[in-house]
Amino acid sequence: MVLKDKRIDEIKELYDQLVMGDELNNADEEKKIELYNKNQDLSEQILSIIEEVLREDATNKDALFWKIRIYNGPYYDDVSVMMSTAQEVIDKLQEDKKAVFSAFDWLSWIYENKLELKEKAIEILHDKLIEVSLLKEDFSLKDKEFGETYYMIAYLYRELEDYSTAVSFYKLAYEHSPDHYYATYQGGNLCLERGEYEDAYLLLNSYYVFHGNEYSASFAKEIEKLYKAGKIEGNWDLISLMYHVGIDYPEEFGAKNTREYGMRFVNVIEEELNTNPDNKVVLRMKIRYYLVVEKNSKKAFETLQKYYALNKEVNSSMYFTYFELAEKYGVELEEYPVVCDGFYGYNLMTRFLEKGGELRGDDDERSLKYYEFSKKVGLLVLPQIEEYFDKGLGSKVNNNAHGYAMLCNNLGIAIRNVVYLTDKDYDKEICKEALSLHKKGYEYSPFIENLENGLQLAELLNAFEEKSYFANELLTYHDEFSSEWMSVQGRILKGFIVADKYDDAKDYYYKIKESFEAKEIEDEDIVSEMIYLASDFFTYLRYGKNDFEKTIAFTEEFFSNPMYFDLVEDVAKVNYWFSLSWAYYGLNNRIEANKYFDLLIKTYDGNSRYQSTVDEIPKEFRLPVEEQEATNRLWEMSKMELKHIDTYALMDRPENVDYLNDIVDYILQGGQFDVEGWITDDCHLKVCYRALRENASTEIYDTSLDFYFKNGNFTIRFNIDEREEKVKKFMGLLSKTIWAKEMYTYYYFYSEDEEVSSTYDVYGSGKYPEYDVLAETLWNTWVSKIKSLTK
């Protein structure tokens, strides 16, 4: 099959080189001979490939249709072959209804254009209608083919000047395809010419609603002639259609601008509303007048209120303006049921979605209101569209697979943002439904936005299978090894990582790495993407698996390839040093960790692109040299192993002051600063130098060791209290002032989110015997360590 596809692609490439039309017809005789020879050579090559494919598979539809085209080309021109091939498709490919319908279209075209037998062409199209009517389950294809076929029949009857019959078929085309570009335009104009104004409005308004381009001005000007001639007096549908088109294209009607055109109808609108204030069509004309001609939003809102009081339902995107103006004037809107079809519903929900996006981040409260209404409309319209595609029920307007896909996408986005702006809890049924919508919409009509947003939601839901589906589909939209393709590959790898599938992640990493390096790509953006992908894998090894040795090995192996440093030096250095520094940090190898942290700081501190990476470095590695050395002593002392731990009482031992001072002096070496660090995953130690106590009534100095325990959220403090005291001698007759020093052990307890303790106790009070035991263990251990170090 792959080989066949390649051969068909070859046919396309050759066919595009054929010279036809004006280029061939307008060439001089000498040039025509040259072009004839070129076309002959190309046509023979094309036909040779077609025959080769058909020898292998006689019913290859692509080859059969290319055969029809080539025999309708600038070299081969054989009607009989074209017809017999089309008939062959009809006879042999009955299971492929799209192919059969296309073959009927070819036959009809041949009778009309090659044989000039329009009646026979109509007969063929009636045969096609029988085939279409036999279609059972594919309601979308059925309506599409009915609409297109009825249009072609209408066109042929118009060519035969049987206008009455033509109109009937234009209307049939409209019934099955309300948005048919040609049926609505041509049929509407024909009805207008024949004075069939109700049908003219039906078709032309549909054209305006769905397509609304500059061609609308041509039929609007015809309506204007009828209006000025008094032939459509009271026909407000047609008058309104003319008015709205004129507002869009005022210059086409001889007006300088929208205001000049709109002013022509001020009195007409007012006169009608004075007579018939409930005329909804004219009310909508007046609303638009206030919005775009007079630009008076207050009057527009008042008129919108009258309109909705009559209408009692939300049936068009005009409601968005009503909603915004109500918000502007602080008016609570009445709850009206939403009864939009798929087209209006999609437009309405999308306008609310876009407004929600504009407000998000600046005014999340208002943003949420818009997202919620968008979600509401989407959830109401979606069942209508699904009922059409699943059962063929409801408005034919819903027959738009691409529109269905876009609705699914936008509804999914609305749901995701409602959740984000409320509780951020994506693990709920509505989010799972949104995820399935992205997938379903894509399957109905490939729409890349469904893949991108589906993948984002799947990542938020941590849904591994769905992440794989969306990401692998996304890959098909990007060139292999482009930066976008590499980015998606990175997200696939992250899927394995989040699911903790180590073997799959490793295999996938090596697969991408090896194929990437074999390509010898020199695009800086793409090389950067490869580095980011690898760094995600190293981070997984480091934090997800706590395998620091493997992290170092994989990092060194990857960056042993000099191409990364040669092409994107900064990206390579940052990721290389970052991975190694944190891996060595995890191994408690502070010397190696400090080496790479120091490189990051010296090279990239102050660099806006990499500052966030530098800011992640632990505080103790960003200190002045003297403080770093003190921190290293703290770290080394904490990791020191003892053969024997002696016992040192915590109470009534004056030498404890000396022990604590010895510990602090050893770590700080006289430095006037505090140092701190996590000495275990649960315990954080802070060494505080001799400092004056703040807010004390007398002069007091504190020197302390603070052991904070994350599990339990408490601190054990060994503290030297140092203050002046008067000592009396000789029966109180003599006295002198001395500095008294006592060591106390305190327990500080923290409530949730409390940084300064409001509750404490002291060692030996009897209230917390378990803390007393822990304090004794800490004290015995650290005094034993300092005595061992200072022997």
Side-chain angles (χ1 to χ4, degrees), residues 631-667:
T631 303
N632 287 337
R633 286 190 290 272
L634 179 152
W635 186 262
E636 289 165 0
M637 191 173 179
S638 72
K639 298 304 174 187
M640 180 180 173
E641 294 184 2
L642 298 168
K643 293 180 179 178
H644 178 72
I645 296 176
D646 293 320
T647 301
Y648 302 91
L650 268 172
M651 295 183 71
D652 303 322
R653 290 284 295 269
E655 61 266 34
N656 283 350
V657 170
D658 295 329
Y659 294 150
L660 184 52
N661 268 328
D662 287 345
I663 294 169
V664 173
D665 287 346
Y666 174 79
I667 292 171

Side-chain angles (χ1 to χ4, degrees), residues 212-248:
N213 55 30
E214 64 275 11
Y215 293 108
S216 305
S218 65
F219 62 70
K221 286 192 282 188
E222 292 302 315
I223 297 172
E224 184 184 47
K225 292 177 185 176
L226 296 170
Y227 173 70
K228 289 180 176 179
K231 294 183 178 180
I232 55 171
E233 186 175 344
N235 191 321
W236 287 106
D237 283 332
L238 278 177
I239 295 170
S240 172
L241 178 57
M242 172 193 66
Y243 169 80
H244 288 297
V245 174
I247 291 289
D248 293 336

Side-chain angles (χ1 to χ4, degrees), residues 130-157:
I130 295 171
E131 287 283 345
V132 174
S133 67
L134 297 175
L135 203 59
K136 299 297 182 185
E137 301 300 326
D138 195 337
F139 306 106
S140 175
L141 179 61
K142 190 173 186 175
D143 278 321
K144 180 175 177 292
E145 291 297 334
F146 267 140
E148 184 63 25
T149 309
Y150 284 134
Y151 158 69
M152 289 191 290
I153 294 173
Y155 173 81
L156 288 168
Y157 275 118

